[in-house]
């Protein structure tokens, strides 16, 4: 199995769990947020749904300009909108990620700000960090949102407090 295939296999495995988290978001709570500095539940969920595909596209370039982290994330109107965005983003990942060669994944990927390099890491590490770890981080945040909203939190790698993982059922 190539590194690209291994990354895609992990993405596919984690997709099932991430989709469960997104599906459980109550439609009437999309505008809720736990703190003034936090994203709304809908903004967080839509961010989780939309960034995987663009991150893989970013990884295809040798250099990428630092995104604007001060931008306001869009507010979705429905859970169906979030899930449709996830499906579109996943399609991009499935199309682009397998095309990376072992050599490309070992090459250095760079992020710049105002033309100055701010990050230089192997492309595979970029995908591991910005695609996968970033996704897991936000899924954990969404799990806290769900708990605070009184929604059963899906099992992830073990029991969640609300349910057992599928392999123990």
């Amino acid at each position: 199995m190539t590194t690209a295939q291994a990354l895609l296999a992990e993405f596919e495995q984690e997709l099932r769990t991430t989709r469960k988290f997104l599906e459980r978001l109550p439609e009437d709570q999309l505008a809720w947020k736990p703190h003034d500095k936090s994203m709304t539940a809908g903004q967080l969920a839509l961010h989780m749904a939309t960034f995987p595909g663009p991150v893989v596209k970013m990884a295809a370039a040798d250099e990428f300009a630092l995104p604007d982290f001060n931008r306001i994330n869009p507010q979705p109107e429905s859970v169906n909108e979030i899930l449709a965005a996830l499906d579109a983003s996943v399609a991009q990942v499935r199309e682009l990620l397998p095309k990376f060669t072992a050599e490309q994944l070992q090459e250095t990927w760079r992020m710049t700000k105002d033309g100055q390099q701010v990050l230089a890491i192997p492309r595979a590490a970029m995908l591991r960090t910005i695609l996968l770890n970033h996704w897991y981080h936000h899924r954990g945040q969404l799990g806290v949102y769900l708990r605070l909203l009184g929604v059963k939190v899906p099992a992830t790698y073990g029991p969640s407090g609300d349910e057992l993982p599928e392999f123990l059922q």
Side-chain angles (χ1 to χ4, degrees):
M1 177 180 291
T2 67
T3 302
Q5 290 169 331
L7 288 167
L8 182 59
E10 182 175 344
F11 177 82
E12 293 286 353
Q13 176 67 34
E14 296 296 333
L15 171 61
R16 289 190 290 274
T17 303
T18 299
R19 181 177 287 280
K20 286 181 191 178
F21 276 71
L22 297 174
E23 289 171 342
R24 291 197 187 173
L25 188 58
E27 192 88 34
D28 64 343
Q29 297 293 328
L30 294 179
W32 180 86
K33 58 183 178 176
H35 190 276
D36 288 339
K37 292 183 179 182
S38 300
M39 286 187 267
T40 68
Q43 288 171 318
L44 175 59
L46 188 60
H47 175 63
M48 290 172 59
T50 58
F51 80 72
V55 166
V56 176
K57 285 175 79 173
M58 261 177 29
D62 291 332
E63 183 175 300
F64 194 83
L66 186 71
D68 178 9
F69 291 116
N70 292 318
R71 74 188 181 292
I72 296 176
N73 289 302
Q75 177 64 39
E77 295 186 20
S78 69
V79 172
N80 283 338
E81 178 184 344
I82 294 165
L83 295 174
L86 177 67
D87 291 340
S89 189
V90 166
Q92 287 182 308
V93 173
R94 288 175 176 158
E95 176 190 343
L96 299 172
L97 188 53
K99 294 178 181 177
F100 284 96
T101 66
E103 294 78 22
Q104 286 175 305
L105 291 172
Q106 292 173 7
E107 292 171 355
T108 300
W109 179 87
R110 291 172 173 76
M111 183 173 282
T112 61
K113 181 179 180 186
D114 301 325
Q116 299 296 314
Q117 180 175 293
V118 294
L119 179 65
I121 57 176
R123 188 171 275 110
M126 179 276 198
L127 288 164
R128 158 75 43 215
T129 304
I130 300 175
L131 174 64
L132 297 172
N133 295 351
H134 181 202
W135 217 23
Y136 310 150
H137 160 74
H138 285 310
R139 189 171 66 199
Q141 284 181 306
L142 187 59
V144 173
Y145 280 41
L146 295 176
R147 172 70 66 227
L148 293 172
L149 289 170
V151 176
K152 289 185 178 182
V153 177
T156 305
Y157 304 113
S160 70
D162 294 315
E163 65 183 33
L164 295 172
E166 289 177 10
F167 65 85
L168 292 177
Q169 294 179 18

